[in-house]
Amino acid sequence: MVLNETYQACLVRRIVDNDQVEALFALSSMIERIVDNDVEVCDYEITTSVGRNYKNPNCLQMQLKLAYEKRGKPCPAGTRVGYVVGKGEGNVAAKVIPAEFAEKSDVDRAWYLREHLRNTFIELFSLFGDVQIKYVSDLFQNAINIIN
């Protein structure tokens, strides 16, 4: 996964190599790939487990279960399923697409940058204290603006 590879690359370059610039370059390269839509669907995949019963029929897991059943694929309780967050309106549960049915054009890349990646990398770089967090945040915001 791009996230895991980039996170590891940033850590190695920053901690092992003691190179802040290369760590930021690794992050910037990942963001650029997302903006250019040069990331495969499987790299956006998030997994969850589907349960038996849900009080809220609009929860993410129930929406995934319904999406599988709509395509004639059983999704029994305990099944781990991968999903991506697609484009569209509403909360995340309303936008989930089973990963095996998703196309690159379906992925809400701005959501991944804003909700899934930005805080992870801001937190990572804040551990070192020598990187301006505003710079990292601006990298993400600029990319989100380009995509939108």
Side-chain angles (χ1 to χ4, degrees):
M1 283 183 81
V2 170
L3 170 61
N4 293 339
E5 291 170 7
T6 304
Y7 197 88
Q8 184 177 20
C10 289
L11 278 174
V12 167
R13 289 183 173 113
R14 185 61 194 90
I15 294 173
V16 176
D17 302 338
N18 196 25
D19 193 335
Q20 170 186 317
V21 173
E22 284 299 315
L24 288 168
F25 180 75
L27 174 61
S28 179
S29 295
M30 178 202 65
I31 292 172
E32 186 176 316
R33 285 185 59 205
I34 292 171
V35 168
D36 293 343
N37 205 15
D38 188 29
V39 176
E40 297 301 318
V41 171
C42 62
D43 288 324
Y44 292 106
E45 187 174 334
I46 302 168
T47 59
T48 190
S49 186
V50 175
R52 185 176 317 275
N53 297 316
Y54 294 99
K55 291 179 184 176
N56 180 357
N58 296 319
C59 73
L60 184 141
Q61 290 85 351
M62 185 63 171
Q63 293 303 309
L64 280 170
K65 185 174 182 159
L66 292 172
Y68 273 98
E69 290 172 356
K70 181 178 173 182
R71 290 173 171 87
K73 294 189 91 175
C75 192
T79 303
R80 280 208 73 71
V81 294
Y83 68 92
V84 299
V85 176
K87 298 174 183 171
E89 298 297 318
N91 63 19
V92 173
K95 299 180 359 171
V96 296
I97 303 169
E100 65 185 275
F101 306 122
E103 302 288 331
K104 273 175 100 171
S105 60
D106 295 331
V107 176
D108 186 345
R109 295 173 294 140
W111 181 90
Y112 277 89
L113 288 168
R114 185 180 55 253
E115 304 295 334
H116 195 62
L117 301 174
R118 178 172 41 194
N119 289 342
T120 300
F121 283 96
I122 286 174
E123 189 173 306
L124 172 67
F125 281 98
S126 71
L127 296 174
F128 305 115
D130 57 356
V131 175
Q132 289 192 2
I133 300 310
K134 178 159 177 23
Y135 176 78
V136 174
S137 182
D138 287 349
L139 279 175
F140 281 97
Q141 192 56 53
N142 291 338
I144 292 164
N145 292 343
I146 291 168
I147 290 170
N148 289 334

